[in-house]
Amino acid sequence: MIGISKLYCSQGSSGDAIRYGHNSALSDITTDKTYVPKSARERRPVVVFNITRTCNLKCVHCYSDSENKKYTGELTTNEIKNILKDLSRFSIPALLLSGGEPLMHPDFSEIAEYGRSLGLRITLSTNGTLITDNIAKELKKLGISYVGVSLDGIGEINDKFRGRTGAFKEAIKGFQNCVTNNQRVGLRLTLTKQNVQDLNKIFDFIEAKNINRACFYHLAYSGRGSKISEYDLTHEETRNAMDIILERTQDFYTRGLNKDILTVDNHVDGIYLYLKQLKEHPEQAAKTLELLKWNGGGTYSSGVGIGNIDFLGNVHPDQFWMHYSFGNVKERPFSEIWQDTSNPLMAGLKNRIPLLKGKCKTCKWLDACGGALRVRADVFYNDPWAPDPACYLTEKEII
């Protein structure tokens, strides 16, 4: 994640400790028992746990290729609880319950309550359509730290992406129910050709609905999202989108609105932000680059600072690597699998810099970007160490 509000506007958030270190420059807030790694390399992984594949929607870019049906072979509730015990002992900083649609799991509340009893910090990734007032109250009671509601545009654009008319209105009710019940909630949106023209409207929506956090994801080529040409932005479109995100984030900050804006799955965003800042506020830019280097970008992301367990128990470098498994938690604990570098991909992800090729290898920002998202290179080039095809920096900017 790239903390746009943090890096571009010096506005602190609770996630800064994990992303940029407790004693890093610009550390302008105290953290409330937040996990603070000594270095980015020593991070324990935030674990995305797909507790079910079943979903009430059928999104066109779904990385797990989910739909509204019962899937066989999924982990039992008892197996999930045993996994949570291991994750707690492994001291992961956060657990993200995902799917499919995690709220469709018949034992969701039991799973979340058990995880909290083990001391796990639990967040939720949901399409929001099932969050009634009672569900919002339950999430608050369970101690869910954060609810991320996925949208893919305003009104009909979202409904087309989500595969059902009315999904947008239902998600909005979910947002409102969370806000009413003082449940921390934010928006998650994947940037695509279909919604990027409405980016300003989305920022207007964030303000109008009193949403305090928004994450803008770059497309990862996984599952139904592998139809790259149909959904993915050109490099020019990505740069234009970033300009809007930076401008609107600065506007929120200038007007005193407490909005935590982030981008996800393309660490090039940090360099693009820095280069713009270098022209406008060089002193601030120097501090930004320091933080980006501490974070390391992709260097300490997939396979290091984030991991995934799917609905069958398979362990992946992150949620977009469904095509590659390091092993299954039914056979070995996650903590053991995660630390086993006998697997060449796991070893490579934990020390990827010497393996990177092409413009990533020679880029002068490598220590701050780290080659960005390796799964895009793997899917696009069939080589996890090839350049990230979503890098939108020009040759002049990287030499």
Side-chain angles (χ1 to χ4, degrees), residues 63-103:
Y63 67 77
S64 61
D65 197 11
S66 297
E67 55 186 291
N68 196 357
K69 68 178 185 180
K70 179 68 176 177
Y71 293 92
T72 60
E74 293 194 344
L75 295 167
T76 67
T77 298
N78 282 337
E79 286 173 331
I80 290 173
K81 286 183 175 181
N82 285 331
I83 295 165
L84 297 187
K85 287 181 185 177
D86 176 58
L87 296 179
S88 176
R89 288 192 292 263
F90 195 43
S91 300
I92 66 168
L95 175 68
L96 174 61
L97 297 180
S98 187
E101 171 49 57
L103 291 177

Side-chain angles (χ1 to χ4, degrees), residues 205-386:
F205 172 82
I206 290 168
E207 181 173 356
K209 297 298 181 181
N210 196 29
I211 297 169
N212 293 324
R213 189 175 194 259
C215 297
F216 294 94
Y217 286 71
H218 294 266
L219 184 67
Y221 311 151
S222 180
R224 291 196 290 266
S226 59
K227 298 177 182 178
I228 301 166
S229 61
E230 188 174 345
Y231 307 128
D232 203 14
L233 303 181
T234 65
H235 291 172
E236 183 179 358
E237 288 171 332
T238 301
R239 293 173 76 98
N240 290 338
M242 282 300 300
D243 287 342
I244 294 172
I245 291 170
L246 293 172
E247 179 184 343
R248 294 302 300 267
T249 302
Q250 180 65 60
D251 173 63
F252 282 162
Y253 179 75
T254 300
R255 291 191 288 126
L257 302 181
N258 185 23
K259 310 291 185 185
D260 187 18
I261 308 298
L262 306 102
T263 63
V264 189
D265 294 334
N266 197 340
H267 297 90
V268 172
D269 293 347
I271 307 305
Y272 186 75
L273 179 157
Y274 164 75
L275 292 174
K276 287 183 73 71
Q277 207 172 48
L278 191 61
K279 298 176 183 177
E280 303 161 359
H281 305 289
E283 281 191 18
Q284 183 72 14
K287 296 176 182 178
T288 292
L289 186 59
E290 179 185 338
L291 294 186
L292 291 172
K293 288 182 176 181
W294 187 95
N295 179 278
T299 309
Y300 308 119
S301 58
S302 308
V304 181
I306 186 168
N308 171 252
I309 304 171
D310 70 21
F311 24 77
L312 302 176
N314 295 310
V315 174
H316 310 282
D318 61 42
Q319 66 270 38
F320 304 116
W321 282 87
M322 291 289 181
H323 60 284
Y324 192 98
S325 172
F326 294 129
N328 192 286
V329 292
K330 294 179 182 178
E331 300 167 1
R332 287 197 299 163
F334 174 88
S335 56
E336 183 179 325
I337 294 172
W338 199 252
Q339 297 176 93
D340 183 359
T341 54
S342 63
N343 180 290
L345 180 61
M346 179 66 89
L349 289 171
K350 284 181 164 51
N351 188 27
R352 71 193 70 188
I353 297 301
L355 303 175
L356 296 178
K357 302 174 182 177
K359 69 176 186 178
C360 281
K361 181 178 182 179
T362 59
C363 178
K364 68 179 178 180
W365 308 115
L366 184 56
D367 56 350
C369 173
L373 196 66
R374 292 293 87 215
V375 70
R376 270 195 298 259
D378 189 53
V379 172
F380 196 84
Y381 294 111
N382 196 31
D383 182 353
W385 316 120

